[in-house]
């Protein structure tokens, strides 16, 4: 008996020749590029942050962010509690599953207020949103307007704390109802969130200052945003500037 397939298909391809085992392996391990990629190799005093993906989603700066030595090349630096930031509204930022990742260094400790690091602002600033915690040296990470996510996430999991002046690679994925945090390519925490997220047609992406929060005192480098959940190996490649673990 034949029945219709009850499921999903993605990235279907057909070739007019037999592929070699190596070609099949390469296809299996390949993945779409980022929706947005900001290496922050921009000139000091610029009002535009160049997107090095294929989508041209250049950010417009606010306040007076500066460019400093980063993990690779240059990084953007936001002053603590300031109006420093960069933003853009675009329909490509509307996504349900996602991955974002970046190198960062805390330049100042907590100051008693929640400070914005990253947000996709649609129906709220929590789709997702990432803050420096008000009175702890950790991230407050929320994946949807219902405030589900990680209340305090740090280098080795929940309720652990970042060192000021040290570079870390932080990445977060959402795959259905599963939210996962990685630090330096290592999975450190998972939790359950809402699915699908509620968002607007044209969200605004914020780095640093957002509508409701001033910026954290932080330097960012190699920020990438994907519209799907990356694997641990792919996150390691992003962390290593495109090279696999050990490569």
């Amino acid at each position: 008996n034949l029945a219709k397939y009850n499921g999903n298909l993605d990235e279907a391809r057909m070739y007019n020749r037999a592929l070699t085992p190596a070609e099949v392996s390469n296809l299996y391990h390949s993945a779409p590029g980022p929706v947005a990629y900001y290496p922050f190799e921009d000139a000091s005093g610029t009002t535009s942050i160049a997107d090095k993906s294929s989508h041209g989603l250049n950010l417009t700066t606010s306040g007076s962010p500066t460019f400093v030595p980063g993990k690779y090349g240059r990084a953007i630096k936001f002053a603590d509690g300031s109006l420093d930031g960069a933003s853009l509204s675009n329909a490509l930022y509307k996504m349900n599953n996602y991955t974002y990742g970046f190198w960062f260094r805390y330049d100042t400790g907590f100051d008693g207020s929640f400070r914005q690091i990253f947000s996709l602002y649609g129906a709220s600033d929590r789709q997702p949103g990432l803050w420096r915690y008000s009175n702890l040296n950790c991230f407050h990470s929320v994946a949807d307007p219902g405030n589900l996510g990680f209340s305090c996430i740090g280098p080795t999991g929940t309720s652990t704390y970042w060192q000021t002046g040290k570079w870390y690679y932080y990445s977060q994925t959402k795959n259905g109802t599963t939210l996962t945090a990685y630090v330096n390519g290592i999975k450190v925490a998972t939790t359950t969130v809402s699915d699908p997220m509620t968002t607007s047609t044209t969200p605004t992406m914020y780095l640093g200052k957002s509508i409701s929060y001033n910026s954290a005192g932080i330097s960012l480098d190699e920020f990438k945003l994907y519209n799907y959940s990356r694997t641990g190996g792919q996150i390691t490649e992003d962390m290593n500037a495109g090279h696999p673990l050990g490569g």
Side-chain angles (χ1 to χ4, degrees), residues 39-42 44 66-78 103-107 165-167 218-222:
F40 304 116
E41 299 300 321
D42 307 271
S44 295
T66 56
F67 293 88
V68 297
K71 183 66 177 180
Y72 298 103
R74 291 155 68 86
I76 193 168
K77 180 177 180 177
F78 302 135
W103 283 99
F104 80 94
R105 181 187 65 206
Y106 267 152
D107 298 312
K166 180 178 180 178
W167 285 100
I218 198 168
S219 296
L220 302 177
D221 198 4
E222 293 290 317

Side-chain angles (χ1 to χ4, degrees), residues 184-186 232-247:
N184 297 339
I186 298 171
Q234 292 167 337
I235 288 169
T236 297
E237 289 183 8
D238 286 335
M239 179 184 75
N240 291 337
H243 299 287
L245 183 64

